[in-house]
Amino acid sequence: MEELEEIEEDAGLGNGGLGRLAACFLDSMATLGLAAYGYGIRYEFGIFNQRIMNGWQVEEADDWLRYGNPWEKARPEYMLPVHFYGRVARTAEGSKWVDTQVVLAMPYDTPVPGYKNNTVNTMRLWSAKAPNEFNLQEFNVGDYIEAVLDRNLAENISRVLYPNDNFFEGKELRLKQEYFVVAATLQDIIRRFKSSKFGCRDPVRTCFGTFPDKVAIQLNDTHPALAIPELMRILVDVEGMEWDKAWVITKKTCAYTNHTVLPEALERWPVHMFEKLLPRHLEIIYEINQKHLDEVAAMFPGDLDRLRRMSVIEEGDCKRINMAHLCVIGSHAVNGVARIHSDIVKNSVFKDFFDVEPQKFQNKTNGITPRRWLMLCNPGLSDIIAEKIGEDFVTDLSQLRKLLNFVNDESFVHDIAKVKQENKLKFSAYLEKEYKVKINPSSLFDVQVKRIHEYKRQILNCLHIITLYNRIKKDPSKVYVPRTVMIGGKAAPGYHMAKMIIKLITSVGNIVNNDPVVGDRLKVIYLENYRVSLAEKVIPAADLSQQISTAGTEASGTGNMKFMLNGALTIGTMDGANVEMAEEAGEGNLFIFGMKVEDVEALDKKGYNAKEYYDRIPELREVINQIRDGRFSPTEPDLFKDIVNMLMNHDRFKVFADYEAYIKCQGKVDQLYMNLREWTKKVIKNIACSGKFSSDRTISEYATEIWGVEPSAVKIPPPNIPRE
């Protein structure tokens, strides 16, 4: 079985947190017995495979379907048409979208089993197919071969995942992907609604009044925002409903989850792209916006600046559609994904909207599934927990609190430490086998794995590594806590700075790992091609989890929760879900450092000046000079000038402002690690307090507070037992 597991490819159909969160949510929805569907695109090529070649990231296509996918079942009987381009015709029955080009959406179903409850839900992913008439009926009279080859143009829609995390790239193919998944999914939802007999006397249900009682649509970020105008188009243009009634139904059906506050990540589509690709949707969006602005103007007469700020349409050289505004206006509930993030959403990003409809805004702190992220990836830990408190924690993670009774139980403390050591030995063996690197398994495993981004501050981690290296070189006879620093994650292919950060980390590793003075007291490993299957190996082996984003930038984070559940201690800022982790476990049981959101805001007001820190802190100055002068790139001394220039002159994420506090905090990590017993007690407290971060809890809150459904712990009878 293990051999088969190793052979199977990851389905890497997302970039990072967003797609992985959806996967955890599917697991929890099935385990809670909810009748829920996950919809998405069946990309032929998922997130690229990452190779590190002489220290640089190189991308290769992720041909994950090469040997087939045994878990999926194509459902050609449910294939649906999706329309693009065309024009709007005015008819006696109202507006109609005509002369369109058609692409077919072929569904592939993957079963999602709940945990031991006989519930099996469905994830339905759409693949693009050209219709057989494609291009043949058109002007392509003689060129049959060309016409058939052109089918690729239609089928390219589901070819490849855009590899940007937290960054918006306004490409037409990406907009096509977003409309493709929305149009197919809404037809599917409406077909299912119409054919379901439950609570309906019509042979075929034609009345949409009960639609929001039967259907809830959760928009996972703004990527499926087109669901709002598309549902309006179907209700008004196709079903002949009057606008106001359709709008009430649409709003009651849709809810929106915001996942980022970074301005460069917000989707703002050029109007001219809509004009060409989705002309009717553009009209509908204009109409939605007009009615919305009329309401705001009635509440705030003469406040033109407020109208400008709250409009879905952004005026300028290039008129744009702000998809987040569309989502807020068209949804009955809007939520952030951690308490601090939801507060930022209300107080800054959507403040104007909060002023108008405060009841709309909620928080739903993210979670992770304990089935994958504890039982499956860490059976050793799972077993010793079950020995102490029974097995019910698997579906009720709050029961982990019972472990607080064993913090001073010497044999339990010993067992927890032993499981961690076994996981570290196993991971060390894996690294040796796969990457031929020898590491010291008794060293502190210091891990930062996540997408490479300036806001996540892998550079701050790197500055600490260099500082540690300099200290060892200055005083080699002193006793140091041995560390193996592991950093992993993919950089978007077009993100120059992120790729330079990878090169800096690998270059520092090259110098540190080959310095005989250092020995095995400090090692730097770049974990190539970080993905779910690698996370399942590294997270159970980690001692220290780095969650060091600038306060106010990481909406939640979910890796932080996985490390906490698997017995690593966290070094982190008061950002995202770290705040709630510290609240649950006690701030003293995490290594919290650095500026809070208020401090960042104060520093923005005052003006952040990196040079002040550079001038004031000798160790920082030394590190920056070494990077600048080519200490880590001797053959190319100015290789890292862009990084140094960014840090010194335009660092949006204020790395230097947190450097001193970070280095000091890392010193506290070393001190505690020297006392394994005290370290392990803190580990137990963290595991015991991680229950809140189960996606079961998150989904129960979505179900009761947004979707209006009740989770159920009832085990339905298996198929071989006839139902009453």
Side-chain angles (χ1 to χ4, degrees), residues 292-309:
H292 155 67
L293 292 180
D294 290 346
E295 283 176 29
V296 176
M299 291 175 74
F300 302 91
D303 192 344
L304 294 178
D305 197 55
R306 182 182 295 264
L307 293 179
R308 181 191 57 75
R309 293 195 310 266

Side-chain angles (χ1 to χ4, degrees), residues 102-123:
V102 176
V103 177
L104 299 176
M106 166 85 80
Y108 285 78
D109 287 357
T110 299
V112 182
Y115 183 72
K116 293 185 177 177
N117 65 352
N118 294 323
T119 294
V120 181
N121 286 347
T122 300
M123 173 177 69

